[in-house]
Amino acid sequence: QVQLVESGGGVVQPGGSLRLACAASERTFSNYAVAWFRQAPGKEREFVAAISASGETTVYADSVKGRFTISRDNAESTAYLQMSGLKLEETAEYYCAAGDYWGRAYYLPTLYTYWGRGTQVTVSS
């Protein structure tokens, strides 16, 4: 059982940057793909970015391409989401998830086995 803990959320002005971290409890973390999702109040959970177990392949939602970067450090059992150019509408709870699946449906929350409790990101002027 892998436990995931997110950190790094906070309040930032539009155009600002934040770096989220997702720390895993087990070294088996290196065997899993990792994704970041976000959920705003009253909305469905939305895919943001994913990274393969090795870290060689990354994918992004169109809305964040060029502004967000997902990465991982398997030696530290930690994944990251560097966010820049943040927009008001990106205020949400951000979650990291891990799982065995790595394929075309990487954007589906149901394919990830392990989830963190989330970290709040608020973009406000």
Side-chain angles (χ1 to χ4, degrees), residues 7-32:
S7 62
V11 180
V12 63
Q13 291 186 340
S17 299
L18 281 175
R19 187 193 196 203
L20 306 183
C22 172
S25 61
E26 304 292 335
R27 287 198 169 273
T28 53
F29 174 78
S30 62
N31 297 333
Y32 300 119

Side-chain angles (χ1 to χ4, degrees), residues 59-117:
V59 289
Y60 298 92
D62 288 344
S63 60
V64 306
K65 281 181 182 176
R67 298 186 297 118
F68 289 15
T69 301
I70 188 171
S71 61
R72 66 190 299 162
D73 183 342
N74 283 339
E76 297 295 329
S77 298
T78 303
Y80 301 95
L81 184 68
Q82 177 69 49
M83 306 185 294
S84 60
L86 282 161
K87 304 175 181 179
L88 292 171
E89 57 268 31
E90 293 180 312
T91 292
E93 191 81 9
Y94 282 69
Y95 299 89
C96 71
D100 290 322
Y101 179 83
W102 185 251
R104 293 183 178 181
Y106 52 78
Y107 56 90
L108 292 177
T110 52
L111 293 178
Y112 294 88
T113 305
Y114 305 107
W115 288 84
R117 294 188 175 184

